[in-house]
Amino acid sequence: MFDRRRFLQVAGGAAATLALAACNGGTQADAPADAADAPADDAAEEEVAEPVAVRTAALKGPTAMGLVRFMSEADAGNVADNDYTFNIYASADEVTPLIAQEEVDIAAVPANLASVLYNRTEGGVRVIAINTLGVLYIVEQGDSVQSVADLAGKTIYASGKGSTPEYGLAYILEKNGLTIGEDVQVEWASEHSEALAQLMADPNGVAMLPQPFVTTAQMKNDQIRVALDLTEEWDAVQSGDEQSSMITGVAVVRSAFADEHPAAVDAFLGHYAESVDFVNDNVSEAAQLVGDYDIVTAEVAEKALPECNIVCITGADMKEQLSGYLAVLADQNPEAVGGAVPGDDFYYGA
């Protein structure tokens, strides 16, 4: 299991050892004859890993927003334990082939897509963190939707077909006696921004949007209101002992990369956790970084960040929460998770 505190202690200890050697100003000739064989030196050498290239892909939205501090520190040269590069994409469809073609090492993807990739690649990816909890909302330019039942007969503009938004919506509708295609129509857009544009063009429109696109919509048109919080609606239909929570996004790593460079994966998780803490604790400064990386404007980010449910959940907690969510999706439609719920080897560090 990845232990962030232990990781920081080890990294700090290695740095202190090197700093002490430099401060002493000693040379090999000045040292005792057996200094090179000292156990402390051997331990320090073992803890200093060679930097490796870590190529990361994220999606425009909360997953990339949680990374902005990490990205800015890497770009400024303040994080140099490995060679980190980041690219931000508009949709998961752009990221999936990059993983399959081994052009990225770590990627932020919808939660169910991580399971699909695991099954399609026969264990070729592992999940390393939950990075976003529920962020989906039903919005409209009126007040006709007060409950899930009110969606009957409506057309919803949305994106995310074949991933978390589609399956999350279908699950909530089904638990309320409705189905997509019969009771509720959905017009699927290729990107969230396209669904937002469709909503803006239709005075009677209803859309399913994630943050920060909900805030973007409301800042463009103050008549747009949040009708339903789909995380709350998901929670409302849970019953019995095996309850689950809605999870929007996770980070995955190529299994081959994790096997070859476990220290790099652990280092990445350490920086990621620090970045998420910074973003949640320093909203104004983080919003400026979000704007700098052209994810959304800083103005939108400052309003949206508190509603984005950005997290970095790893290890056993990650496995418990994500496995429950994927089990719900699999019960509803096995294809939503790629045919089967992943095995234990799917969960890195758990």
Coordinates of all heavy atoms in Angstrom, one line a residue, residues 96-166:
T96 N -8.1 7.1 -24.3 CA -8.1 5.7 -24.4 C -7.1 5.1 -25.4 O -6.3 4.2 -25.0 CB -9.6 5.2 -24.7 OG1 -10.5 5.6 -23.7 CG2 -9.6 3.7 -24.8
P97 N -7.1 5.6 -26.6 CA -6.1 5.0 -27.5 C -4.6 5.3 -27.1 O -3.7 4.5 -27.4 CB -6.4 5.6 -28.9 CG -7.1 6.9 -28.6 CD -7.9 6.5 -27.3
L98 N -4.4 6.4 -26.4 CA -3.0 6.7 -25.9 C -2.6 5.7 -24.9 O -1.4 5.3 -24.9 CB -3.0 8.1 -25.3 CG -3.4 9.3 -26.2 CD1 -3.4 10.6 -25.5 CD2 -2.5 9.3 -27.4
I99 N -3.5 5.2 -24.1 CA -3.1 4.1 -23.1 C -2.8 2.8 -23.9 O -1.8 2.2 -23.6 CB -4.3 4.0 -22.1 CG1 -4.5 5.3 -21.3 CG2 -4.0 2.8 -21.1 CD1 -5.8 5.2 -20.5
A100 N -3.7 2.5 -24.8 CA -3.6 1.2 -25.5 C -2.2 1.2 -26.3 O -1.6 0.2 -26.5 CB -4.7 1.0 -26.5
Q101 N -1.9 2.4 -26.8 CA -0.6 2.5 -27.6 C 0.6 2.8 -26.8 O 1.7 3.1 -27.4 CB -0.8 3.6 -28.7 CG -1.9 3.2 -29.7 CD -2.4 4.5 -30.5 OE1 -1.8 5.5 -30.5 NE2 -3.6 4.3 -31.1
E102 N 0.4 2.8 -25.5 CA 1.5 3.0 -24.6 C 2.2 4.4 -24.8 O 3.4 4.5 -24.6 CB 2.6 1.9 -24.6 CG 2.0 0.5 -24.3 CD 3.0 -0.6 -24.3 OE1 4.2 -0.3 -24.5 OE2 2.7 -1.7 -24.1
E103 N 1.4 5.4 -25.1 CA 1.9 6.7 -25.3 C 1.7 7.6 -24.0 O 2.3 8.7 -24.0 CB 1.2 7.4 -26.5 CG 1.5 6.7 -27.8 CD 0.8 7.4 -29.0 OE1 0.4 8.6 -28.8 OE2 0.7 6.8 -30.1
V104 N 1.0 7.1 -23.1 CA 0.9 7.7 -21.7 C 1.2 6.6 -20.7 O 0.9 5.4 -20.9 CB -0.4 8.4 -21.5 CG1 -0.6 9.6 -22.5 CG2 -1.6 7.5 -21.5
D105 N 1.6 7.0 -19.5 CA 1.9 6.1 -18.4 C 0.8 6.1 -17.4 O 0.4 5.1 -16.8 CB 3.2 6.4 -17.8 CG 4.3 6.4 -18.9 OD1 4.5 5.4 -19.6 OD2 5.1 7.4 -19.0
I106 N 0.3 7.3 -17.1 CA -0.7 7.5 -16.1 C -1.8 8.4 -16.7 O -1.5 9.4 -17.4 CB -0.2 8.2 -14.8 CG1 0.8 7.3 -14.1 CG2 -1.3 8.7 -13.9 CD1 1.5 7.9 -12.9
A107 N -3.1 8.1 -16.5 CA -4.2 8.8 -17.1 C -5.3 8.9 -16.1 O -5.6 8.0 -15.4 CB -4.6 8.2 -18.4
A108 N -6.0 10.1 -16.2 CA -7.2 10.3 -15.4 C -8.4 10.0 -16.4 O -8.5 10.6 -17.4 CB -7.3 11.7 -14.9
V109 N -9.2 9.1 -16.0 CA -10.3 8.6 -16.8 C -11.6 8.4 -16.0 O -11.5 8.3 -14.8 CB -9.9 7.2 -17.5 CG1 -8.7 7.4 -18.4 CG2 -9.7 6.1 -16.5
P110 N -12.8 8.3 -16.7 CA -14.0 8.0 -15.9 C -13.8 6.6 -15.2 O -13.1 5.7 -15.7 CB -15.0 7.9 -17.1 CG -14.5 8.8 -18.1 CD -13.0 8.6 -18.1
A111 N -14.5 6.5 -14.1 CA -14.3 5.4 -13.2 C -14.6 4.0 -13.9 O -13.8 3.1 -13.8 CB -15.1 5.5 -11.9
N112 N -15.7 4.0 -14.6 CA -16.0 2.7 -15.3 C -15.1 2.4 -16.4 O -14.8 1.2 -16.7 CB -17.5 2.7 -15.8 CG -17.6 3.5 -17.1 OD1 -17.4 4.7 -17.1 ND2 -18.0 2.8 -18.2
L113 N -14.6 3.4 -17.1 CA -13.6 3.2 -18.2 C -12.4 2.5 -17.7 O -11.8 1.7 -18.4 CB -13.3 4.5 -18.9 CG -12.3 4.4 -20.1 CD1 -12.9 3.5 -21.2 CD2 -12.1 5.8 -20.7
A114 N -12.0 2.8 -16.5 CA -10.8 2.1 -15.9 C -11.0 0.6 -15.9 O -10.1 -0.2 -16.2 CB -10.5 2.7 -14.5
S115 N -12.2 0.2 -15.5 CA -12.5 -1.2 -15.5 C -12.6 -1.8 -16.9 O -12.1 -2.9 -17.1 CB -13.9 -1.4 -14.7 OG -14.3 -2.7 -14.7
V116 N -13.2 -1.0 -17.8 CA -13.3 -1.5 -19.2 C -11.9 -1.7 -19.7 O -11.6 -2.8 -20.4 CB -14.0 -0.5 -20.1 CG1 -13.9 -0.9 -21.5 CG2 -15.5 -0.4 -19.6
L117 N -11.0 -0.8 -19.5 CA -9.6 -0.9 -20.0 C -8.9 -2.1 -19.4 O -8.1 -2.8 -20.0 CB -8.8 0.4 -19.7 CG -9.2 1.6 -20.5 CD1 -8.5 2.9 -20.0 CD2 -8.8 1.4 -22.0
Y118 N -9.1 -2.3 -18.1 CA -8.5 -3.5 -17.4 C -8.9 -4.8 -18.1 O -8.1 -5.6 -18.3 CB -9.0 -3.5 -15.9 CG -8.6 -4.7 -15.2 CD1 -7.4 -4.9 -14.5 CD2 -9.6 -5.7 -15.0 CE1 -7.1 -6.0 -13.8 CE2 -9.3 -6.9 -14.3 CZ -8.1 -7.0 -13.7 OH -7.8 -8.2 -13.0
N119 N -10.2 -4.9 -18.4 CA -10.7 -6.1 -19.0 C -10.3 -6.2 -20.4 O -9.9 -7.3 -20.9 CB -12.2 -6.2 -18.9 CG -12.7 -6.5 -17.5 OD1 -12.3 -7.5 -16.9 ND2 -13.6 -5.7 -17.0
R120 N -10.3 -5.2 -21.2 CA -9.9 -5.2 -22.6 C -8.4 -5.5 -22.8 O -8.0 -6.1 -23.8 CB -10.2 -3.9 -23.3 CG -11.7 -3.7 -23.5 CD -12.0 -2.4 -24.3 NE -13.4 -2.2 -24.5 CZ -13.9 -1.1 -25.0 NH1 -13.1 -0.1 -25.4 NH2 -15.2 -1.0 -25.2
T121 N -7.6 -5.1 -21.8 CA -6.1 -5.3 -21.9 C -5.6 -6.4 -21.1 O -4.4 -6.6 -21.0 CB -5.4 -4.0 -21.5 OG1 -5.7 -3.7 -20.1 CG2 -5.8 -2.8 -22.4
E122 N -6.6 -7.2 -20.6 CA -6.3 -8.3 -19.7 C -5.3 -8.0 -18.6 O -4.3 -8.5 -18.4 CB -5.7 -9.5 -20.6 CG -6.6 -10.0 -21.6 CD -6.0 -11.1 -22.4 OE1 -4.8 -11.4 -22.4 OE2 -6.8 -11.8 -23.2
G123 N -5.7 -7.0 -17.8 CA -5.0 -6.5 -16.7 C -3.9 -5.5 -17.0 O -2.9 -5.3 -16.2
G124 N -3.9 -4.9 -18.2 CA -2.9 -4.0 -18.6 C -2.9 -2.7 -17.9 O -1.9 -1.9 -18.1
V125 N -3.9 -2.3 -17.1 CA -3.9 -1.1 -16.3 C -4.3 -1.4 -14.9 O -5.0 -2.4 -14.7 CB -4.9 0.0 -16.9 CG1 -4.5 0.3 -18.3 CG2 -6.3 -0.5 -16.9
R126 N -3.9 -0.6 -14.0 CA -4.3 -0.7 -12.6 C -4.8 0.7 -12.2 O -4.3 1.7 -12.6 CB -3.2 -1.1 -11.7 CG -2.7 -2.5 -12.0 CD -1.5 -2.9 -11.2 NE -0.7 -4.0 -11.8 CZ 0.6 -4.2 -11.6 NH1 1.3 -3.4 -10.8 NH2 1.2 -5.2 -12.2
V127 N -5.7 0.7 -11.3 CA -6.2 2.0 -10.7 C -5.3 2.4 -9.5 O -5.0 1.5 -8.7 CB -7.7 1.9 -10.3 CG1 -7.9 0.9 -9.2 CG2 -8.2 3.3 -9.9
I128 N -4.9 3.7 -9.5 CA -4.0 4.1 -8.4 C -4.7 5.1 -7.5 O -4.2 5.3 -6.4 CB -2.7 4.7 -9.0 CG1 -3.0 5.9 -9.9 CG2 -1.9 3.6 -9.7 CD1 -1.7 6.6 -10.3
A129 N -5.8 5.7 -7.9 CA -6.4 6.7 -7.0 C -7.8 7.0 -7.5 O -8.1 7.0 -8.7 CB -5.6 8.0 -6.9
I130 N -8.7 7.2 -6.6 CA -10.0 7.9 -6.9 C -9.7 9.4 -6.9 O -9.2 9.9 -5.9 CB -11.1 7.6 -5.9 CG1 -11.4 6.1 -6.0 CG2 -12.3 8.4 -6.2 CD1 -12.3 5.6 -4.8
N131 N -10.0 10.1 -8.0 CA -9.7 11.6 -8.0 C -10.9 12.5 -8.0 O -10.8 13.7 -7.7 CB -8.7 11.9 -9.1 CG -9.3 11.5 -10.5 OD1 -10.5 11.6 -10.7 ND2 -8.4 11.1 -11.3
T132 N -12.1 11.9 -8.3 CA -13.3 12.8 -8.3 C -14.5 11.9 -7.8 O -14.7 10.9 -8.4 CB -13.6 13.3 -9.7 OG1 -12.4 13.8 -10.3 CG2 -14.6 14.5 -9.6
L133 N -15.2 12.4 -6.8 CA -16.4 11.8 -6.4 C -17.6 12.4 -7.3 O -17.3 12.9 -8.4 CB -16.7 12.1 -4.9 CG -15.6 11.5 -4.0 CD1 -15.9 11.9 -2.6 CD2 -15.4 10.0 -4.2
G134 N -18.8 12.3 -6.9 CA -19.9 12.7 -7.7 C -19.9 14.2 -8.1 O -19.8 15.1 -7.2
V135 N -20.0 14.5 -9.4 CA -20.1 15.9 -9.8 C -21.1 16.2 -10.8 O -21.1 17.2 -11.5 CB -18.7 16.4 -10.3 CG1 -17.6 16.4 -9.3 CG2 -18.2 15.5 -11.5
L136 N -22.1 15.2 -11.0 CA -23.1 15.3 -12.1 C -24.3 16.0 -11.6 O -24.8 15.6 -10.5 CB -23.4 13.9 -12.7 CG -22.3 13.3 -13.5 CD1 -22.6 11.9 -13.8 CD2 -22.1 14.1 -14.8
Y137 N -24.9 16.8 -12.4 CA -26.1 17.5 -12.0 C -27.1 17.6 -13.2 O -26.7 17.7 -14.4 CB -25.8 19.0 -11.6 CG -24.9 19.0 -10.4 CD1 -23.5 19.0 -10.5 CD2 -25.4 19.1 -9.1 CE1 -22.7 19.0 -9.4 CE2 -24.6 19.2 -8.0 CZ -23.2 19.1 -8.2 OH -22.4 19.2 -7.1
I138 N -28.4 17.6 -12.9 CA -29.4 17.9 -13.9 C -29.7 19.4 -13.8 O -30.0 19.9 -12.7 CB -30.7 17.1 -13.7 CG1 -30.4 15.6 -13.9 CG2 -31.8 17.6 -14.7 CD1 -30.0 15.2 -15.3
V139 N -29.6 20.2 -14.9 CA -29.9 21.6 -14.9 C -30.9 21.9 -15.9 O -31.1 21.2 -16.9 CB -28.6 22.4 -15.1 CG1 -27.6 22.1 -14.0 CG2 -28.0 22.1 -16.5
E140 N -31.6 23.0 -15.7 CA -32.6 23.5 -16.7 C -32.8 25.0 -16.6 O -32.3 25.6 -15.7 CB -33.9 22.8 -16.5 CG -34.6 23.2 -15.1 CD -36.0 22.7 -15.0 OE1 -36.6 22.3 -16.0 OE2 -36.5 22.6 -13.9
Q141 N -33.4 25.5 -17.6 CA -33.7 27.0 -17.7 C -35.2 27.3 -17.2 O -35.8 28.1 -17.7 CB -33.5 27.5 -19.1 CG -32.1 27.4 -19.6 CD -31.9 28.3 -20.9 OE1 -32.1 29.5 -20.9 NE2 -31.5 27.6 -21.9
G142 N -35.6 26.5 -16.3 CA -37.0 26.7 -15.7 C -37.1 26.0 -14.4 O -36.1 25.9 -13.7
D143 N -38.3 25.6 -14.1 CA -38.5 24.9 -12.8 C -39.4 23.7 -12.9 O -40.2 23.4 -12.0 CB -39.0 25.9 -11.7 CG -40.3 26.5 -12.1 OD1 -40.9 26.2 -13.2 OD2 -40.8 27.3 -11.3
S144 N -39.3 23.0 -14.1 CA -40.2 21.9 -14.3 C -39.7 20.6 -13.7 O -40.5 19.7 -13.5 CB -40.4 21.7 -15.8 OG -39.2 21.4 -16.5
V145 N -38.5 20.5 -13.4 CA -37.9 19.3 -12.8 C -37.6 19.5 -11.3 O -36.7 20.3 -10.9 CB -36.6 18.9 -13.5 CG1 -36.0 17.7 -12.9 CG2 -36.8 18.7 -15.0
Q146 N -38.4 18.8 -10.5 CA -38.2 18.9 -9.1 C -37.8 17.5 -8.5 O -37.4 17.4 -7.3 CB -39.5 19.4 -8.4 CG -40.0 20.7 -8.9 CD -39.1 21.8 -8.5 OE1 -38.4 21.8 -7.5 NE2 -39.1 22.9 -9.4
S147 N -38.0 16.5 -9.3 CA -37.6 15.1 -8.8 C -37.2 14.3 -10.1 O -37.4 14.8 -11.2 CB -38.8 14.5 -8.2 OG -39.9 14.2 -9.1
V148 N -36.7 13.1 -9.9 CA -36.3 12.3 -11.0 C -37.5 11.9 -11.8 O -37.5 11.9 -13.0 CB -35.6 11.0 -10.5 CG1 -35.3 10.0 -11.6 CG2 -34.3 11.4 -9.8
A149 N -38.7 11.7 -11.2 CA -39.9 11.4 -11.9 C -40.3 12.5 -12.9 O -40.9 12.1 -14.0 CB -41.0 11.2 -10.9
D150 N -39.9 13.7 -12.7 CA -40.2 14.8 -13.6 C -39.4 14.7 -14.9 O -39.7 15.5 -15.8 CB -40.0 16.1 -12.9 CG -41.0 16.4 -11.7 OD1 -42.1 15.8 -11.8 OD2 -40.6 17.1 -10.8
L151 N -38.4 13.9 -14.9 CA -37.7 13.7 -16.2 C -38.4 12.9 -17.2 O -38.0 12.9 -18.4 CB -36.3 13.1 -15.9 CG -35.3 13.9 -15.0 CD1 -34.1 13.1 -14.7 CD2 -34.9 15.2 -15.8
A152 N -39.5 12.2 -16.8 CA -40.3 11.5 -17.8 C -40.8 12.4 -18.9 O -41.3 13.4 -18.7 CB -41.5 10.8 -17.1
G153 N -40.6 11.9 -20.2 CA -41.0 12.7 -21.3 C -40.0 13.8 -21.7 O -40.2 14.5 -22.7
K154 N -38.9 14.0 -21.0 CA -38.0 15.0 -21.3 C -36.9 14.5 -22.2 O -36.6 13.3 -22.3 CB -37.3 15.5 -20.0 CG -38.2 16.1 -19.0 CD -38.7 17.5 -19.3 CE -39.4 18.2 -18.2 NZ -39.9 19.5 -18.6
T155 N -36.2 15.4 -22.9 CA -35.0 15.1 -23.6 C -33.8 15.8 -22.9 O -33.9 17.0 -22.5 CB -35.0 15.7 -25.1 OG1 -36.0 15.0 -25.8 CG2 -33.7 15.5 -25.8
I156 N -32.8 15.1 -22.6 CA -31.6 15.6 -21.8 C -30.4 15.7 -22.7 O -30.1 14.8 -23.4 CB -31.3 14.6 -20.6 CG1 -32.5 14.5 -19.7 CG2 -30.1 15.2 -19.9 CD1 -32.3 13.4 -18.6
Y157 N -29.8 16.9 -22.7 CA -28.6 17.0 -23.4 C -27.4 16.6 -22.5 O -27.4 17.0 -21.3 CB -28.3 18.5 -23.8 CG -29.4 19.1 -24.7 CD1 -30.2 20.2 -24.2 CD2 -29.7 18.6 -25.9 CE1 -31.2 20.8 -25.0 CE2 -30.7 19.1 -26.7 CZ -31.5 20.2 -26.2 OH -32.4 20.7 -27.0
A158 N -26.5 15.8 -23.0 CA -25.5 15.2 -22.1 C -24.3 14.8 -23.0 O -24.4 14.6 -24.2 CB -26.0 14.1 -21.3
S159 N -23.2 14.6 -22.3 CA -22.0 13.9 -23.0 C -21.6 12.8 -22.0 O -22.0 12.7 -20.9 CB -20.9 14.9 -23.3 OG -20.4 15.4 -22.1
G160 N -20.7 11.9 -22.5 CA -20.2 10.8 -21.7 C -20.9 9.5 -22.0 O -21.0 8.6 -21.1
K161 N -21.4 9.3 -23.2 CA -22.0 8.1 -23.6 C -21.0 7.0 -23.5 O -19.9 7.1 -23.9 CB -22.6 8.1 -25.0 CG -23.3 6.9 -25.4 CD -24.0 7.0 -26.8 CE -24.7 5.7 -27.2 NZ -25.7 5.2 -26.2
G162 N -21.4 5.9 -22.9 CA -20.5 4.7 -22.7 C -19.5 4.9 -21.5 O -18.6 4.0 -21.3
S163 N -19.8 5.9 -20.7 CA -18.9 6.0 -19.5 C -19.8 6.4 -18.3 O -21.0 6.3 -18.3 CB -17.8 7.0 -19.7 OG -18.3 8.3 -20.0
T164 N -19.1 6.9 -17.3 CA -19.8 7.2 -16.0 C -21.1 7.9 -16.1 O -22.1 7.6 -15.5 CB -18.8 7.9 -15.0 OG1 -17.7 7.0 -14.8 CG2 -19.5 8.2 -13.7
P165 N -21.2 9.1 -16.9 CA -22.4 9.8 -16.9 C -23.6 9.0 -17.4 O -24.7 9.0 -16.9 CB -22.1 11.0 -17.9 CG -20.6 11.2 -17.7 CD -20.1 9.8 -17.5
E166 N -23.4 8.2 -18.5 CA -24.5 7.4 -19.1 C -25.0 6.4 -18.1 O -26.2 6.2 -17.8 CB -24.1 6.7 -20.4 CG -25.2 5.8 -20.9 CD -24.8 5.0 -22.2 OE1 -23.7 5.0 -22.5 OE2 -25.7 4.4 -22.7

